[in-house]
Amino acid sequence: MTDRLHRSAPPAGLPQPVSPTDVGVVHLGIGAFHRAHQAVFTDRAMALSGDLRWGILGVTQRSAGVRDQLRPQDGVYAVLTAGAAGGGSSSGDGSAALGDGLSLELVGAVVDVAYPAEETPRVLAALAAPTTHVVTLTITEKGYARRPDGGLDVDRVRPDLEALRAEELAVGSDENNPEQATATSSEQKVVLGAAEPGAASSAIGILVRGLAVRRRVSGDLPLTVLTCDNMVDNGRVLERLVREAVDAALPGAEGAALRAYLDAAVTFPCSMVDRIVPATTPAQRDAVEAALGVRDEGLVVGEPFTQWVIEDRFAGPRPPWEAAGATLTADVAPYEQAKLRLLNGTHSLVAYSGWLAGHATIAEAVGDPAIAEAAREYLFDDALPTLDAPFDLRSYGEEILHRFANPHTGHTTIQVAMDGTQKIPFRWGGVLGDSLSAGRVPGGLVLGLAAWAEFVRRRVMAGEVVDDPRAAELAEVVHGAGGDREATVRGLLGVPGLLPDVAVGHEALLGAVVDARVPVS
Ligand code: CS2
């Protein structure tokens, strides 16, 4: 039985990982992407600056899996970079080359992972701690609990809103009895005398409860809440959802103190994140075990390219991320729009048409001439003309296609294809709305929509899982159409909130999608 990787004994050939002195960042959604992206920037920023206050407490929502991967390793894991060096804007990595376009680096920034179903008081305490200055999130588009119209789906976070209300109202009495608030245990004190806080069941919920606790414990301690998910104007979306949650839990005067705290001390900047991070395969884990001589259950894999563009609107201190290559700017929008429309939009077209053509990976799919042609039509003829950016968009687009062709990542079409109803509005919605408003039916995007619809139809008719929060709704449309292609397409494209208003009932668009022949070789 091979030993586990551990912070105390880094494998030969790899530098000792950083050991943070404090938890400065609480991260919600510590999946593979965070561990291969923001955590790497934070790790490198600490290593390069010597500022070790930026340890990360990861919070995992769905299961204790990531906690059980990392806690036995004292939070340390390796990142396997797959593909020729170059690209992006990260710097200062202490990686070791393994040959064949592969390199490994250890990340020590994550100090532990908490699982709210069993550790909610600990998470709330971390969110309230004066050493915590930043909360980051990668909870995926579906994690924001939005209704089709974009508002907060209160039913999906109701248990947390009820807990928030109970904690706030319990504190109301405590605030009149300060001695009670100081008499409780450290974690109990965090929730100021309330009964043992109920287990959090949503990311938005634990965030709002944590903000409320921070206010109760500290009054006006600033905090920056930085979303790193693929949504247009992601920081503004998150702020609106947090405020809708407060209004739902604490209407009127009951929520006045918390709203005033948000106004005065909490910021929600936008950011654009970019690195292709495929799911780690058992073969990759075994190969790294053979290379290191120890077992790393937390291994993550990424392409060489990495980029992080952050709105410089922080409520208090932050990690020196620019030391590791991040870009701080007053306006993230041009970077965010270009990345969502050019990279993510093309990714989805390649994923659906690639899956239909029988290609398991993105790299194989873009190697298919018919799919490559459709991807280029969408990227350069449909999406690029809708953008205005302070950098060369055509070169950026060509680099995206080069990145997709990287065979070393093993990024699968089915992984990118998941959650279509959550991704399409953000990555195709803008291009579609702008094109139709300009009187143009975008031919490449038509192929993408046709491929998505056919992907859903085939999976539903085959009884296979459609990995999407609205899978039941999609299945109902497909079965209701009774196999009729036009009815299926019209029904799926008519799913509320999927496409922009200008596209709903747009006969030229619908006709083009019905008539489209998905590009398969
Ligand atoms: C991909 C993204 O799975 C997907 O939807 O398009 O995860 C993509 O790999 C990242 O946004 C790249 O930065």
PDB file of all heavy atoms in Angstrom, residues 280-313:
ATOM      1  N   THR A 280     -10.307  14.320 -13.363  1.00  0.00           N
ATOM      2  CA  THR A 280      -9.117  13.475 -13.201  1.00  0.00           C
ATOM      3  C   THR A 280      -9.503  12.016 -13.442  1.00  0.00           C
ATOM      4  O   THR A 280     -10.537  11.552 -12.938  1.00  0.00           O
ATOM      5  CB  THR A 280      -8.550  13.622 -11.770  1.00  0.00           C
ATOM      6  OG1 THR A 280      -8.343  15.011 -11.501  1.00  0.00           O
ATOM      7  CG2 THR A 280      -7.230  12.873 -11.617  1.00  0.00           C
ATOM      8  N   THR A 281      -8.690  11.310 -14.210  1.00  0.00           N
ATOM      9  CA  THR A 281      -9.002   9.888 -14.472  1.00  0.00           C
ATOM     10  C   THR A 281      -8.165   8.996 -13.551  1.00  0.00           C
ATOM     11  O   THR A 281      -7.085   9.390 -13.096  1.00  0.00           O
ATOM     12  CB  THR A 281      -8.655   9.526 -15.933  1.00  0.00           C
ATOM     13  OG1 THR A 281      -7.223   9.641 -16.090  1.00  0.00           O
ATOM     14  CG2 THR A 281      -9.361  10.453 -16.915  1.00  0.00           C
ATOM     15  N   PRO A 282      -8.649   7.788 -13.273  1.00  0.00           N
ATOM     16  CA  PRO A 282      -7.855   6.842 -12.460  1.00  0.00           C
ATOM     17  C   PRO A 282      -6.462   6.604 -13.061  1.00  0.00           C
ATOM     18  O   PRO A 282      -5.475   6.509 -12.346  1.00  0.00           O
ATOM     19  CB  PRO A 282      -8.705   5.571 -12.501  1.00  0.00           C
ATOM     20  CG  PRO A 282     -10.108   6.041 -12.728  1.00  0.00           C
ATOM     21  CD  PRO A 282      -9.981   7.234 -13.635  1.00  0.00           C
ATOM     22  N   ALA A 283      -6.395   6.606 -14.398  1.00  0.00           N
ATOM     23  CA  ALA A 283      -5.090   6.368 -15.046  1.00  0.00           C
ATOM     24  C   ALA A 283      -4.115   7.499 -14.720  1.00  0.00           C
ATOM     25  O   ALA A 283      -2.919   7.275 -14.459  1.00  0.00           O
ATOM     26  CB  ALA A 283      -5.280   6.245 -16.558  1.00  0.00           C
ATOM     27  N   GLN A 284      -4.636   8.743 -14.694  1.00  0.00           N
ATOM     28  CA  GLN A 284      -3.768   9.884 -14.362  1.00  0.00           C
ATOM     29  C   GLN A 284      -3.314   9.787 -12.908  1.00  0.00           C
ATOM     30  O   GLN A 284      -2.147  10.038 -12.588  1.00  0.00           O
ATOM     31  CB  GLN A 284      -4.513  11.195 -14.614  1.00  0.00           C
ATOM     32  CG  GLN A 284      -4.698  11.516 -16.096  1.00  0.00           C
ATOM     33  CD  GLN A 284      -5.743  12.588 -16.365  1.00  0.00           C
ATOM     34  OE1 GLN A 284      -6.715  12.749 -15.608  1.00  0.00           O
ATOM     35  NE2 GLN A 284      -5.590  13.317 -17.452  1.00  0.00           N
ATOM     36  N   ARG A 285      -4.231   9.389 -12.027  1.00  0.00           N
ATOM     37  CA  ARG A 285      -3.861   9.253 -10.606  1.00  0.00           C
ATOM     38  C   ARG A 285      -2.783   8.173 -10.440  1.00  0.00           C
ATOM     39  O   ARG A 285      -1.814   8.348  -9.703  1.00  0.00           O
ATOM     40  CB  ARG A 285      -5.119   8.895  -9.806  1.00  0.00           C
ATOM     41  CG  ARG A 285      -5.165   9.620  -8.487  1.00  0.00           C
ATOM     42  CD  ARG A 285      -6.446   9.422  -7.734  1.00  0.00           C
ATOM     43  NE  ARG A 285      -7.193  10.657  -7.621  1.00  0.00           N
ATOM     44  CZ  ARG A 285      -8.347  10.906  -8.229  1.00  0.00           C
ATOM     45  NH1 ARG A 285      -8.884   9.988  -8.985  1.00  0.00           N
ATOM     46  NH2 ARG A 285      -8.959  12.058  -8.097  1.00  0.00           N
ATOM     47  N   ASP A 286      -2.962   7.068 -11.180  1.00  0.00           N
ATOM     48  CA  ASP A 286      -1.979   5.978 -11.076  1.00  0.00           C
ATOM     49  C   ASP A 286      -0.626   6.404 -11.639  1.00  0.00           C
ATOM     50  O   ASP A 286       0.434   6.104 -11.082  1.00  0.00           O
ATOM     51  CB  ASP A 286      -2.487   4.741 -11.826  1.00  0.00           C
ATOM     52  CG  ASP A 286      -3.711   4.115 -11.176  1.00  0.00           C
ATOM     53  OD1 ASP A 286      -3.962   4.447  -9.984  1.00  0.00           O
ATOM     54  OD2 ASP A 286      -4.423   3.348 -11.833  1.00  0.00           O
ATOM     55  N   ALA A 287      -0.653   7.170 -12.739  1.00  0.00           N
ATOM     56  CA  ALA A 287       0.613   7.606 -13.366  1.00  0.00           C
ATOM     57  C   ALA A 287       1.370   8.536 -12.427  1.00  0.00           C
ATOM     58  O   ALA A 287       2.597   8.440 -12.270  1.00  0.00           O
ATOM     59  CB  ALA A 287       0.317   8.300 -14.691  1.00  0.00           C
ATOM     60  N   VAL A 288       0.636   9.415 -11.747  1.00  0.00           N
ATOM     61  CA  VAL A 288       1.291  10.345 -10.820  1.00  0.00           C
ATOM     62  C   VAL A 288       1.803   9.595  -9.591  1.00  0.00           C
ATOM     63  O   VAL A 288       2.887   9.870  -9.071  1.00  0.00           O
ATOM     64  CB  VAL A 288       0.318  11.475 -10.428  1.00  0.00           C
ATOM     65  CG1 VAL A 288       0.854  12.298  -9.266  1.00  0.00           C
ATOM     66  CG2 VAL A 288       0.049  12.373 -11.640  1.00  0.00           C
ATOM     67  N   GLU A 289       1.063   8.590  -9.167  1.00  0.00           N
ATOM     68  CA  GLU A 289       1.539   7.774  -8.029  1.00  0.00           C
ATOM     69  C   GLU A 289       2.851   7.092  -8.395  1.00  0.00           C
ATOM     70  O   GLU A 289       3.815   7.078  -7.624  1.00  0.00           O
ATOM     71  CB  GLU A 289       0.492   6.729  -7.660  1.00  0.00           C
ATOM     72  CG  GLU A 289       0.918   5.835  -6.499  1.00  0.00           C
ATOM     73  CD  GLU A 289      -0.163   4.824  -6.116  1.00  0.00           C
ATOM     74  OE1 GLU A 289      -1.300   4.939  -6.603  1.00  0.00           O
ATOM     75  OE2 GLU A 289       0.151   3.919  -5.324  1.00  0.00           O
ATOM     76  N   ALA A 290       2.917   6.622  -9.627  1.00  0.00           N
ATOM     77  CA  ALA A 290       4.159   5.961 -10.074  1.00  0.00           C
ATOM     78  C   ALA A 290       5.303   6.968 -10.135  1.00  0.00           C
ATOM     79  O   ALA A 290       6.447   6.663  -9.774  1.00  0.00           O
ATOM     80  CB  ALA A 290       3.929   5.337 -11.449  1.00  0.00           C
ATOM     81  N   ALA A 291       4.984   8.200 -10.535  1.00  0.00           N
ATOM     82  CA  ALA A 291       6.039   9.221 -10.656  1.00  0.00           C
ATOM     83  C   ALA A 291       6.492   9.730  -9.291  1.00  0.00           C
ATOM     84  O   ALA A 291       7.672   9.977  -9.070  1.00  0.00           O
ATOM     85  CB  ALA A 291       5.519  10.389 -11.494  1.00  0.00           C
ATOM     86  N   LEU A 292       5.539   9.872  -8.364  1.00  0.00           N
ATOM     87  CA  LEU A 292       5.875  10.479  -7.061  1.00  0.00           C
ATOM     88  C   LEU A 292       6.238   9.459  -6.000  1.00  0.00           C
ATOM     89  O   LEU A 292       6.889   9.768  -5.003  1.00  0.00           O
ATOM     90  CB  LEU A 292       4.697  11.327  -6.563  1.00  0.00           C
ATOM     91  CG  LEU A 292       4.301  12.541  -7.393  1.00  0.00           C
ATOM     92  CD1 LEU A 292       3.161  13.288  -6.704  1.00  0.00           C
ATOM     93  CD2 LEU A 292       5.500  13.461  -7.630  1.00  0.00           C
ATOM     94  N   GLY A 293       5.739   8.223  -6.163  1.00  0.00           N
ATOM     95  CA  GLY A 293       5.976   7.224  -5.118  1.00  0.00           C
ATOM     96  C   GLY A 293       5.023   7.360  -3.947  1.00  0.00           C
ATOM     97  O   GLY A 293       5.161   6.673  -2.927  1.00  0.00           O
ATOM     98  N   VAL A 294       4.054   8.266  -4.060  1.00  0.00           N
ATOM     99  CA  VAL A 294       3.015   8.393  -3.029  1.00  0.00           C
ATOM    100  C   VAL A 294       1.667   8.563  -3.742  1.00  0.00           C
ATOM    101  O   VAL A 294       1.621   8.944  -4.928  1.00  0.00           O
ATOM    102  CB  VAL A 294       3.243   9.619  -2.104  1.00  0.00           C
ATOM    103  CG1 VAL A 294       4.443   9.399  -1.210  1.00  0.00           C
ATOM    104  CG2 VAL A 294       3.375  10.897  -2.909  1.00  0.00           C
ATOM    105  N   ARG A 295       0.596   8.278  -3.067  1.00  0.00           N
ATOM    106  CA  ARG A 295      -0.759   8.338  -3.633  1.00  0.00           C
ATOM    107  C   ARG A 295      -1.362   9.705  -3.342  1.00  0.00           C
ATOM    108  O   ARG A 295      -1.400  10.133  -2.190  1.00  0.00           O
ATOM    109  CB  ARG A 295      -1.630   7.253  -3.004  1.00  0.00           C
ATOM    110  CG  ARG A 295      -3.042   7.162  -3.595  1.00  0.00           C
ATOM    111  CD  ARG A 295      -3.061   6.384  -4.872  1.00  0.00           C
ATOM    112  NE  ARG A 295      -4.401   6.252  -5.469  1.00  0.00           N
ATOM    113  CZ  ARG A 295      -4.592   5.871  -6.734  1.00  0.00           C
ATOM    114  NH1 ARG A 295      -3.540   5.582  -7.504  1.00  0.00           N
ATOM    115  NH2 ARG A 295      -5.804   5.772  -7.245  1.00  0.00           N
ATOM    116  N   ASP A 296      -1.786  10.404  -4.389  1.00  0.00           N
ATOM    117  CA  ASP A 296      -2.435  11.708  -4.208  1.00  0.00           C
ATOM    118  C   ASP A 296      -3.894  11.591  -4.623  1.00  0.00           C
ATOM    119  O   ASP A 296      -4.221  11.592  -5.802  1.00  0.00           O
ATOM    120  CB  ASP A 296      -1.745  12.777  -5.067  1.00  0.00           C
ATOM    121  CG  ASP A 296      -2.468  14.119  -5.006  1.00  0.00           C
ATOM    122  OD1 ASP A 296      -3.357  14.275  -4.143  1.00  0.00           O
ATOM    123  OD2 ASP A 296      -2.165  15.000  -5.838  1.00  0.00           O
ATOM    124  N   GLU A 297      -4.773  11.453  -3.628  1.00  0.00           N
ATOM    125  CA  GLU A 297      -6.208  11.308  -3.937  1.00  0.00           C
ATOM    126  C   GLU A 297      -6.827  12.634  -4.343  1.00  0.00           C
ATOM    127  O   GLU A 297      -7.959  12.677  -4.799  1.00  0.00           O
ATOM    128  CB  GLU A 297      -6.957  10.747  -2.719  1.00  0.00           C
ATOM    129  CG  GLU A 297      -6.604   9.310  -2.359  1.00  0.00           C
ATOM    130  CD  GLU A 297      -6.967   8.326  -3.471  1.00  0.00           C
ATOM    131  OE1 GLU A 297      -7.722   8.704  -4.407  1.00  0.00           O
ATOM    132  OE2 GLU A 297      -6.506   7.181  -3.414  1.00  0.00           O
ATOM    133  N   GLY A 298      -6.079  13.729  -4.159  1.00  0.00           N
ATOM    134  CA  GLY A 298      -6.623  15.042  -4.508  1.00  0.00           C
ATOM    135  C   GLY A 298      -6.137  15.575  -5.832  1.00  0.00           C
ATOM    136  O   GLY A 298      -6.399  16.716  -6.194  1.00  0.00           O
ATOM    137  N   LEU A 299      -5.436  14.737  -6.610  1.00  0.00           N
ATOM    138  CA  LEU A 299      -4.844  15.189  -7.873  1.00  0.00           C
ATOM    139  C   LEU A 299      -5.858  15.853  -8.794  1.00  0.00           C
ATOM    140  O   LEU A 299      -6.981  15.375  -8.951  1.00  0.00           O
ATOM    141  CB  LEU A 299      -4.240  13.980  -8.614  1.00  0.00           C
ATOM    142  CG  LEU A 299      -3.625  14.272  -9.976  1.00  0.00           C
ATOM    143  CD1 LEU A 299      -2.313  15.040  -9.818  1.00  0.00           C
ATOM    144  CD2 LEU A 299      -3.402  12.967 -10.762  1.00  0.00           C
ATOM    145  N   VAL A 300      -5.450  16.983  -9.379  1.00  0.00           N
ATOM    146  CA  VAL A 300      -6.276  17.617 -10.413  1.00  0.00           C
ATOM    147  C   VAL A 300      -5.410  17.849 -11.651  1.00  0.00           C
ATOM    148  O   VAL A 300      -4.182  17.879 -11.576  1.00  0.00           O
ATOM    149  CB  VAL A 300      -6.901  18.942  -9.928  1.00  0.00           C
ATOM    150  CG1 VAL A 300      -7.959  18.693  -8.867  1.00  0.00           C
ATOM    151  CG2 VAL A 300      -5.847  19.915  -9.448  1.00  0.00           C
ATOM    152  N   VAL A 301      -6.087  17.990 -12.787  1.00  0.00           N
ATOM    153  CA  VAL A 301      -5.409  18.092 -14.078  1.00  0.00           C
ATOM    154  C   VAL A 301      -5.841  19.383 -14.765  1.00  0.00           C
ATOM    155  O   VAL A 301      -7.017  19.765 -14.687  1.00  0.00           O
ATOM    156  CB  VAL A 301      -5.786  16.901 -14.988  1.00  0.00           C
ATOM    157  CG1 VAL A 301      -5.054  16.981 -16.333  1.00  0.00           C
ATOM    158  CG2 VAL A 301      -5.461  15.592 -14.287  1.00  0.00           C
ATOM    159  N   GLY A 302      -4.892  20.058 -15.409  1.00  0.00           N
ATOM    160  CA  GLY A 302      -5.251  21.270 -16.140  1.00  0.00           C
ATOM    161  C   GLY A 302      -4.384  21.460 -17.363  1.00  0.00           C
ATOM    162  O   GLY A 302      -3.304  20.878 -17.455  1.00  0.00           O
ATOM    163  N   GLU A 303      -4.863  22.253 -18.296  1.00  0.00           N
ATOM    164  CA  GLU A 303      -4.060  22.652 -19.462  1.00  0.00           C
ATOM    165  C   GLU A 303      -3.018  23.671 -19.006  1.00  0.00           C
ATOM    166  O   GLU A 303      -3.112  24.226 -17.901  1.00  0.00           O
ATOM    167  CB  GLU A 303      -4.967  23.267 -20.525  1.00  0.00           C
ATOM    168  CG  GLU A 303      -5.646  24.561 -20.040  1.00  0.00           C
ATOM    169  CD  GLU A 303      -6.282  25.385 -21.136  1.00  0.00           C
ATOM    170  OE1 GLU A 303      -5.864  25.292 -22.307  1.00  0.00           O
ATOM    171  OE2 GLU A 303      -7.219  26.130 -20.799  1.00  0.00           O
ATOM    172  N   PRO A 304      -2.042  23.969 -19.844  1.00  0.00           N
ATOM    173  CA  PRO A 304      -1.046  24.984 -19.454  1.00  0.00           C
ATOM    174  C   PRO A 304      -1.626  26.394 -19.344  1.00  0.00           C
ATOM    175  O   PRO A 304      -1.277  27.159 -18.464  1.00  0.00           O
ATOM    176  CB  PRO A 304      -0.016  24.923 -20.581  1.00  0.00           C
ATOM    177  CG  PRO A 304      -0.196  23.573 -21.198  1.00  0.00           C
ATOM    178  CD  PRO A 304      -1.649  23.264 -21.079  1.00  0.00           C
ATOM    179  N   PHE A 305      -2.592  26.726 -20.206  1.00  0.00           N
ATOM    180  CA  PHE A 305      -3.148  28.082 -20.227  1.00  0.00           C
ATOM    181  C   PHE A 305      -3.931  28.362 -18.950  1.00  0.00           C
ATOM    182  O   PHE A 305      -4.695  27.517 -18.478  1.00  0.00           O
ATOM    183  CB  PHE A 305      -4.087  28.244 -21.421  1.00  0.00           C
ATOM    184  CG  PHE A 305      -4.700  29.617 -21.538  1.00  0.00           C
ATOM    185  CD1 PHE A 305      -4.169  30.563 -22.382  1.00  0.00           C
ATOM    186  CD2 PHE A 305      -5.823  29.973 -20.767  1.00  0.00           C
ATOM    187  CE1 PHE A 305      -4.730  31.835 -22.484  1.00  0.00           C
ATOM    188  CE2 PHE A 305      -6.386  31.238 -20.857  1.00  0.00           C
ATOM    189  CZ  PHE A 305      -5.838  32.169 -21.726  1.00  0.00           C
ATOM    190  N   THR A 306      -3.721  29.511 -18.377  1.00  0.00           N
ATOM    191  CA  THR A 306      -4.544  29.901 -17.245  1.00  0.00           C
ATOM    192  C   THR A 306      -4.625  31.422 -17.205  1.00  0.00           C
ATOM    193  O   THR A 306      -3.674  32.109 -17.568  1.00  0.00           O
ATOM    194  CB  THR A 306      -3.966  29.346 -15.923  1.00  0.00           C
ATOM    195  OG1 THR A 306      -4.866  29.631 -14.849  1.00  0.00           O
ATOM    196  CG2 THR A 306      -2.608  29.933 -15.616  1.00  0.00           C
ATOM    197  N   GLN A 307      -5.792  31.946 -16.843  1.00  0.00           N
ATOM    198  CA  GLN A 307      -5.971  33.397 -16.805  1.00  0.00           C
ATOM    199  C   GLN A 307      -7.011  33.725 -15.745  1.00  0.00           C
ATOM    200  O   GLN A 307      -7.975  32.982 -15.542  1.00  0.00           O
ATOM    201  CB  GLN A 307      -6.437  33.918 -18.178  1.00  0.00           C
ATOM    202  CG  GLN A 307      -6.534  35.436 -18.270  1.00  0.00           C
ATOM    203  CD  GLN A 307      -6.951  35.912 -19.653  1.00  0.00           C
ATOM    204  OE1 GLN A 307      -7.516  35.149 -20.446  1.00  0.00           O
ATOM    205  NE2 GLN A 307      -6.673  37.172 -19.966  1.00  0.00           N
ATOM    206  N   TRP A 308      -6.805  34.840 -15.055  1.00  0.00           N
ATOM    207  CA  TRP A 308      -7.759  35.321 -14.038  1.00  0.00           C
ATOM    208  C   TRP A 308      -7.798  36.830 -14.120  1.00  0.00           C
ATOM    209  O   TRP A 308      -6.771  37.483 -13.929  1.00  0.00           O
ATOM    210  CB  TRP A 308      -7.319  34.865 -12.659  1.00  0.00           C
ATOM    211  CG  TRP A 308      -8.397  34.951 -11.594  1.00  0.00           C
ATOM    212  CD1 TRP A 308      -9.710  35.278 -11.774  1.00  0.00           C
ATOM    213  CD2 TRP A 308      -8.237  34.676 -10.202  1.00  0.00           C
ATOM    214  NE1 TRP A 308     -10.385  35.238 -10.574  1.00  0.00           N
ATOM    215  CE2 TRP A 308      -9.510  34.862  -9.593  1.00  0.00           C
ATOM    216  CE3 TRP A 308      -7.172  34.289  -9.405  1.00  0.00           C
ATOM    217  CZ2 TRP A 308      -9.722  34.680  -8.227  1.00  0.00           C
ATOM    218  CZ3 TRP A 308      -7.373  34.096  -8.043  1.00  0.00           C
ATOM    219  CH2 TRP A 308      -8.637  34.294  -7.472  1.00  0.00           C
ATOM    220  N   VAL A 309      -8.964  37.358 -14.461  1.00  0.00           N
ATOM    221  CA  VAL A 309      -9.151  38.806 -14.552  1.00  0.00           C
ATOM    222  C   VAL A 309     -10.163  39.191 -13.483  1.00  0.00           C
ATOM    223  O   VAL A 309     -11.275  38.647 -13.458  1.00  0.00           O
ATOM    224  CB  VAL A 309      -9.659  39.221 -15.946  1.00  0.00           C
ATOM    225  CG1 VAL A 309      -9.836  40.742 -16.022  1.00  0.00           C
ATOM    226  CG2 VAL A 309      -8.685  38.759 -17.034  1.00  0.00           C
ATOM    227  N   ILE A 310      -9.778  40.081 -12.579  1.00  0.00           N
ATOM    228  CA  ILE A 310     -10.563  40.366 -11.376  1.00  0.00           C
ATOM    229  C   ILE A 310     -10.880  41.857 -11.308  1.00  0.00           C
ATOM    230  O   ILE A 310      -9.985  42.710 -11.514  1.00  0.00           O
ATOM    231  CB  ILE A 310      -9.781  39.965 -10.109  1.00  0.00           C
ATOM    232  CG1 ILE A 310      -9.278  38.522 -10.184  1.00  0.00           C
ATOM    233  CG2 ILE A 310     -10.631  40.170  -8.859  1.00  0.00           C
ATOM    234  CD1 ILE A 310      -8.243  38.170  -9.131  1.00  0.00           C
ATOM    235  N   GLU A 311     -12.134  42.168 -11.008  1.00  0.00           N
ATOM    236  CA  GLU A 311     -12.525  43.580 -10.806  1.00  0.00           C
ATOM    237  C   GLU A 311     -11.895  44.074  -9.512  1.00  0.00           C
ATOM    238  O   GLU A 311     -12.076  43.474  -8.443  1.00  0.00           O
ATOM    239  CB  GLU A 311     -14.045  43.694 -10.724  1.00  0.00           C
ATOM    240  CG  GLU A 311     -14.553  45.111 -10.558  1.00  0.00           C
ATOM    241  CD  GLU A 311     -16.067  45.193 -10.395  1.00  0.00           C
ATOM    242  OE1 GLU A 311     -16.705  44.129 -10.292  1.00  0.00           O
ATOM    243  OE2 GLU A 311     -16.600  46.313 -10.368  1.00  0.00           O
ATOM    244  N   ASP A 312     -11.178  45.159  -9.600  1.00  0.00           N
ATOM    245  CA  ASP A 312     -10.438  45.652  -8.436  1.00  0.00           C
ATOM    246  C   ASP A 312     -11.384  46.436  -7.528  1.00  0.00           C
ATOM    247  O   ASP A 312     -11.348  47.667  -7.470  1.00  0.00           O
ATOM    248  CB  ASP A 312      -9.273  46.534  -8.891  1.00  0.00           C
ATOM    249  CG  ASP A 312      -8.286  46.795  -7.749  1.00  0.00           C
ATOM    250  OD1 ASP A 312      -8.538  46.295  -6.626  1.00  0.00           O
ATOM    251  OD2 ASP A 312      -7.275  47.489  -7.995  1.00  0.00           O
ATOM    252  N   ARG A 313     -12.253  45.698  -6.831  1.00  0.00           N
ATOM    253  CA  ARG A 313     -13.239  46.351  -5.951  1.00  0.00           C
ATOM    254  C   ARG A 313     -13.331  45.517  -4.679  1.00  0.00           C
ATOM    255  O   ARG A 313     -14.240  44.713  -4.484  1.00  0.00           O
ATOM    256  CB  ARG A 313     -14.596  46.412  -6.666  1.00  0.00           C
ATOM    257  CG  ARG A 313     -15.583  47.391  -6.062  1.00  0.00           C
ATOM    258  CD  ARG A 313     -16.656  47.767  -7.096  1.00  0.00           C
ATOM    259  NE  ARG A 313     -17.469  46.633  -7.454  1.00  0.00           N
ATOM    260  CZ  ARG A 313     -18.572  46.289  -6.791  1.00  0.00           C
ATOM    261  NH1 ARG A 313     -18.934  46.978  -5.733  1.00  0.00           N
ATOM    262  NH2 ARG A 313     -19.293  45.255  -7.156  1.00  0.00           N
TER     263      ARG A 313
END
